[in-house]
Amino acid sequence: MKQVAVAVAYNPVEEKFLVLKRAPARDVHAGKWEFASGKIEDETAREAALRELEEETGFLGEVVRSAEPVEVDTEDGDFLIHPFLVVVKGTKPQLSREHTRWKWIFAEDIPDMDTVPELEKDLRALGIETGTGYSPN
């Protein structure tokens, strides 16, 4: 099972989450929306989430919540997702070549988006329901 760290970037001023659109050249889930994420290498899951966030968006952040890993089974394999809620201060990411677009959204926007499989599980694991607004306060 592939181990993946996910940085759910949150802007507390806007009270929104950052999603990224995967580039068309990506082997898996091209054109789908996702949170900053990637394989856990020779590091902790927390370190991987912060590294991926910086590599994919240019943002530095502070982990304010983590959750137990969640299993996601897809046609492209089985993944063990390690989700982290990360507060960021910026509003305009500098995208890597892995993504073509970005947008700040409310949690309730996710069900209507074309996302990677089971993206909502990341939020639910962190105690964030996609059918309602969210504020960590």
Side-chain angles (χ1 to χ4, degrees):
M1 187 172 294
K2 298 172 190 157
Q3 304 274 327
V4 175
V6 174
V8 179
Y10 179 71
N11 181 308
V13 175
E14 300 289 326
E15 297 186 354
K16 292 183 177 182
F17 300 92
L18 179 67
V19 289
L20 310 169
K21 190 165 191 174
R22 293 175 65 89
R26 298 294 300 268
D27 292 341
V28 179
H29 308 302
K32 305 280 186 186
W33 291 96
E34 67 176 352
F35 299 119
S37 61
K39 294 178 191 170
I40 299 171
E41 297 173 3
D42 189 21
E43 62 202 336
T44 66
R46 179 188 192 103
E47 292 167 341
L50 293 173
R51 175 182 51 77
E52 290 291 342
L53 178 67
E54 184 176 7
E55 287 176 2
E56 295 179 11
T57 68
F59 287 145
L60 298 176
E62 177 187 352
V63 172
V64 294
R65 186 177 303 160
S66 61
E68 291 297 316
V70 293
E71 289 185 30
V72 175
D73 302 323
T74 74
E75 62 213 30
D76 299 302
D78 299 335
F79 298 88
L80 189 61
I81 307 295
H82 300 261
F84 295 87
L85 181 63
V86 182
V87 169
V88 297
K89 292 185 180 175
T91 57
K92 188 173 180 186
Q94 301 298 312
L95 295 182
S96 71
R97 69 181 194 289
E98 295 180 34
H99 300 95
T100 58
R101 293 181 54 206
W102 57 270
K103 65 170 126 175
W104 290 99
I105 63 164
F106 294 106
E108 61 263 26
D109 297 331
I110 289 179
D112 297 324
M113 297 180 71
D114 187 16
T115 69
V116 295
E118 302 192 58
L119 185 73
E120 294 177 55
K121 272 190 173 182
D122 300 338
L123 290 178
R124 282 196 306 272
L126 291 164
I128 302 163
E129 293 299 322
T130 56
T132 62
Y134 170 76
S135 176
N137 297 330

